[in-house]
Amino acid sequence: MADPRVIVVGAGPAGIRAAAALVEAGLVPTVIDEASRSGGQIYRRQPENFTRSYEQLYGTEARKARALHTCFDALRHRIDYRPETLAWAVKDGRLHVQSGMTAEALPYDALVLAPGATDRMMPIPGWTRPGCYSLGASQIALKAQACAIGEKVVFMGTGPLLYLVACQYMKAGNAPVAVLDTTPFHRQLRGLALMAARPGQLVKGARLIAALRAGGVRVVRGITPREVTGGEAGVTGVRYADAAGRTFHVECTAVGIGFHLRAESQLADLAGCVFAFDPAVRQWLPAIDAMGRSSVANVYLAGDGVRVLGADGAETSGKLAAQAVLADLGRPQPEDRTRRLLRDMERHVRFARGVARAFPWPHDKVAAIPDETLVCRCEAITAGELRAAVTALEAPEVNRAKAFSRVGMGRCQGRFCGLASQEIVAAACRLPVEKAGRLRGQAPVKPLPIAVTDGGSHA
Amino acid sequence: MQARFRRLAEKERRAVVLTVDGEAVRALEGDVLLTALMLSRGFARMSEFGDGPRAGFCMMGACQDCWVWTGAGERLRACSTSVAEGMDIRTHVPEGIWPIPA
Ligand SMILES: Cc1cc2nc3c(=O)[nH]c(=O)nc-3n(C[C@H](O)[C@H](O)[C@H](O)COP(=O)(O)OP(=O)(O)OC[C@H]3O[C@@H](n4cnc5c(N)ncnc54)[C@H](O)[C@@H]3O)c2cc1C
Ligand code: FES
């Protein structure tokens, strides 16, 4: 029998660990990644002519970053690695990919999807102004370009990345002006019991906040974002209300906003995977078993692209998905190893639930954003237009509201407006959010260059 | 318009000169276009909807809010395209080029 064709999408912690386990079992997987260098988000590599050390780049995670990069570098010649290649659709058992001006449809016996996550966003009046970036972008500017998004930065939102990025800016000599968290302090304590599943991580988190305070950075919790202020030339400040409803304005030249993360689940959607609503994070996520098997026989899901567990959880889930692939291909794996990985996974899931509880998506604030807020950056559609579409046209369902108002049909494919529009539609229709429908993934998951030609499929 | 990003390290790289809307812009090898733009003019493109300039948002190829064009009409994502000597970048769709739908 010819060697089974296994494709892994994503060369982040999850995809790399999956590929390594497949290679160890004697397979030659194809690894697709849109980026020019491997590593994924947290262990993103800087351009080759940059010289900062692992310690400078990855701080407390330097050892893990080095281990993962070394692992991938050793694999490179034992896999079919395709950097700068976008997986843009899954159709009829083939993965459609595009690189440069060439497109191909790759057949597979097993497909492991590990595409990671993007920032979860709450639209805020003024968030399209030059100088306003996602928290992820703020970190990428620093890691991959050695730049701050501005000289005087405010970070606003909630989630572990909020404090992490703020600390990274401080260490890099660009301490933020303020850190504004939508979660009140007493809420943050609620996740503690679950987060104790990973005491080391919990301590790291507490240290970040202490370091910011020690560095004189103003940290305010329980805020409501009101506006990213400024004009044509860009951001000049942030207006927010404190827990008591008093409004404040902080001057700054740049803002980084983010509300934890959302899974990049479009490819799983296109592959036909069944989704389930997860009330803990108020998101529709692909259903998987403990190993990462989706509802579709030869499609496996790993890492933050199926549910956000963080980097260590991504590595474990990648290894587990590879074990599932191998077992289903008739190459069973040592049971004790699987058991160990499953136990490890349980801790990551518990911890992630604690994080979700400690830094909740402020859905009530999202549902209440003012009518004039641009929800869809791509097509410049406001919250008011979206509300009018669902109430006037009796379209109490996100996909239909989307057709009426075009929210989620822009070129970002709803990545930055989808979760917020679900909340807005649900509230406008007085429905629980899980009853307001779900934005479906559409191909291409990202815009293709116009002149792409079909390079054929190598069967 | 004004510079918005601030370089914190890695300043000893080879210089690269490109043009943006006909004006020379100095960048460093390894910069992506968005970095070069945010260190010089402070925006990447004008919104098609008349709501002003945009300057990208995600820096990871997800939001598509950083599109720029080459003089030849090729569309580029500024956050994931590295600068190169002599690049001819436009923050508007060049005249005579049919606008490209998303
Ligand atoms: C901007 C950002 C910053 C983060 N920073 C931190 C941090 O500092 N600390 C932390 O603990 N966690 C961080 N996270 C969370 C992070 O997602 C995880 O910790 C970890 O990187 C997840 O690993 P992964 O392998 O699941 O996905 P990722 O590391 O995100 O890797 C996914 C890979 O898939 C590729 N990809 C995605 N879609 C496609 C496609 N359609 N076609 C081809 N390739 C594709 C991407 O280019 C990427 O390389 C961050 C997340 C984001 C979005
Ligand atoms: S900044 Fe989002 S795609 Fe470039």
Side-chain angles (χ1 to χ4, degrees), chain A residues 172-434:
Chain A
N174 202 95
V177 183
V179 174
L180 308 174
D181 190 336
T182 51
T183 310
F185 184 60
H186 61 86
R187 268 300 306 240
Q188 260 155 38
L189 298 177
R190 277 209 225 162
L192 279 182
L194 288 166
M195 288 196 282
R198 301 188 62 207
Q201 286 302 106
L202 190 55
V203 171
K204 272 186 206 163
R207 283 209 186 118
L208 291 180
I209 299 176
L212 284 170
R213 287 247 155 88
V217 175
R218 180 143 53 109
V219 178
V220 190
R221 297 190 232 218
I223 66 109
T224 302
R226 290 281 188 241
E227 190 184 355
V228 175
T229 57
E232 281 274 298
V235 173
T236 54
V238 167
R239 219 154 46 75
Y240 69 94
D242 70 3
R246 288 169 303 191
T247 309
F248 298 87
H249 185 260
V250 198
E251 276 181 27
C252 60
T253 59
V255 193
I257 54 176
F259 299 80
H260 204 27
L261 300 167
R262 57 165 279 286
E264 276 281 293
S265 54
Q266 297 89 332
L267 287 172
D269 205 353
L270 294 175
C273 299
V274 167
F275 277 56
F277 185 78
D278 181 348
V281 292
R282 293 176 76 90
Q283 293 176 44
W284 288 89
L285 297 173
I288 46 167
D289 75 0
M291 302 288 293
R293 290 182 183 91
S294 76
S295 62
V296 176
N298 54 354
V299 177
Y300 304 79
L301 309 174
D304 276 7
V306 54
R307 55 185 166 176
V308 174
L309 299 180
D312 298 347
E315 289 194 39
T316 307
S317 73
K319 291 178 194 170
L320 275 170
Q323 297 233 328
V325 169
L326 292 165
D328 297 351
L329 288 171
R331 306 179 183 211
Q333 297 298 297
E335 260 178 45
D336 55 329
R337 195 197 273 185
T338 311
R339 226 175 303 128
R340 220 172 329 117
L341 288 171
L342 284 171
R343 245 197 331 265
D344 207 21
M345 199 61 186
E346 265 168 41
R347 277 192 311 123
H348 293 302
V349 171
R350 264 178 78 78
F351 183 78
R353 275 211 226 106
V355 171
R357 203 175 279 184
F359 301 101
W361 166 234
H363 61 89
D364 43 348
K365 298 187 206 277
V366 176
I369 58 170
D371 273 345
E372 66 275 14
T373 319
L374 276 192
V375 173
C376 167
R377 303 173 62 93
C378 306
E379 307 259 318
I381 294 156
T382 64
E385 287 168 305
L386 182 58
R387 289 181 181 122
V390 292
T391 46
L393 298 166
E394 293 180 60
E397 201 260 337
V398 178
N399 279 295
R400 278 197 285 156
K402 168 173 130 172
F404 289 129
S405 69
R406 293 187 57 81
V407 160
M409 306 221 327
R411 50 198 176 219
C412 88
Q413 285 277 345
R415 281 180 177 81
F416 294 99
C417 64
L419 293 172
S421 48
Q422 269 168 12
E423 300 292 352
I424 295 164
V425 167
C429 302
R430 297 195 179 78
L431 285 171
V433 71
E434 64 273 27

Side-chain angles (χ1 to χ4, degrees), chain A residues 34 41 49-52 133-134 137 145-150 174 232-234 253 377-378 411 446 448, chain B residues 4-6 8 10 13 29-32 35 38 45 48-49 53-55 57-58 60-61 64-65 67 77:
Chain A
E34 201 190 346
Q41 290 307 342
N49 60 338
F50 282 48
T51 56
R52 287 167 300 171
Y133 288 96
S134 71
Q145 296 284 280
C147 285
I149 56 167
N174 202 95
E232 281 274 298
T253 59
R377 303 173 62 93
C378 306
R411 50 198 176 219
K446 288 186 186 177
L448 301 173
Chain B
R4 295 209 152 257
F5 278 19
R6 179 185 181 202
L8 299 175
E10 307 282 0
R13 286 173 282 142
E29 201 173 53
D31 285 352
V32 292
T35 301
M38 293 312 281
R45 65 185 198 97
E48 310 79 314
F49 304 95
R54 299 281 181 93
F57 184 66
C58 71
M60 53 182 284
Q64 320 300 327
D65 212 353
W67 287 1
R77 218 161 47 191

Side-chain angles (χ1 to χ4, degrees), chain A residues 36-38 44-52 57 73 76 81 83-84 143-145, chain B residues 10 13 29-31 82:
Chain A
S36 55
R37 306 200 72 193
S38 66
R44 175 181 284 272
R45 299 195 204 210
Q46 58 188 357
E48 303 212 28
N49 60 338
F50 282 48
T51 56
R52 287 167 300 171
L57 265 181
D73 292 342
R76 270 195 80 146
Y81 173 43
E84 294 182 30
K143 269 192 196 169
Q145 296 284 280
Chain B
E10 307 282 0
R13 286 173 282 142
E29 201 173 53
D31 285 352
S82 299

